[in-house]
Amino acid sequence: MEARDHELKRDLAATLHARGELGPEYESALIDSFLEKVEQRLDTTLDRRVRRHLAEQQVTAARDPRSVRAPSAAGAPSGFGERFGFGVVSLVLAVPLSAIGVVNAGIEGLVVAWMGIVGVNAVHAARSGGLFRQRERRAASAPASEWQD
């Protein structure tokens, strides 16, 4: 990094020297030129860091494929926190929905409100894979039995 800093300082000194020779009318062009050089250096540094980070992720994935999570389908919640949060929100909203259902339609309104709540949670769980994911993981990791063909 020190060589790059030295090069940047040299460019700044050259820009200031050129400004002194050319005068203030060329100041904006000189500043723009210097800032382009700085931007190019920043882009180069950022690209190098991103490539290094991606390479580290690839090495990690090659060593332990289970450590890298596959991206979820578009819009499908993948983490426990999202599923837990959705469940908590649906329970919090269940209270006023139940009250509205009972006040307006009696016990039938309560049943409809809870059928809606359960339905929304079932669709959310199925969409995020929460209903069958654990069962599939257990089946895939279980040793083959002598009784199975």
Side-chain angles (χ1 to χ4, degrees):
M1 275 311 248
E2 292 176 16
R4 295 175 61 79
D5 288 341
H6 179 68
E7 188 177 324
L8 190 61
K9 286 179 184 178
R10 190 185 63 205
D11 286 345
L12 179 59
T15 301
L16 292 174
H17 181 70
R19 183 198 177 266
E21 288 182 1
L22 296 174
E25 59 270 359
Y26 290 101
E27 185 174 321
S28 64
L30 291 170
I31 290 173
D32 289 342
S33 173
F34 178 74
L35 289 178
E36 283 179 25
K37 291 176 185 177
V38 171
E39 185 178 2
Q40 288 173 352
R41 288 203 180 98
L42 287 173
D43 287 343
T44 303
T45 303
L46 183 62
D47 288 343
R48 188 178 311 118
R49 286 181 184 174
V50 168
R51 276 190 247 116
R52 184 176 31 214
H53 182 69
L54 290 175
E56 289 172 358
Q57 283 184 338
Q58 289 174 348
V59 167
T60 303
R63 289 182 183 159
D64 186 13
R66 294 172 289 156
S67 68
V68 179
R69 287 181 30 175
S72 62
S78 58
F80 170 76
E82 291 179 55
R83 290 190 309 265
F84 180 75
F86 189 84
V88 168
V89 168
S90 67
L91 287 176
V92 167
L93 292 177
V95 173
L97 287 175
S98 299
I100 292 169
V102 167
V103 167
N104 289 326
I107 193 75
E108 294 87 11
L110 180 66
V111 170
V112 169
W114 275 95
M115 285 176 38
I117 293 166
V118 170
V120 166
N121 279 287
V123 168
H124 181 267
R127 191 172 143 208
S128 66
L131 288 178
F132 304 109
R133 187 176 295 156
Q134 288 179 347
R135 193 174 300 161
E136 289 172 359
R137 267 191 253 141
R138 279 191 222 128
S141 65
S145 172
E146 294 176 6
W147 296 93
Q148 295 175 343
D149 286 335

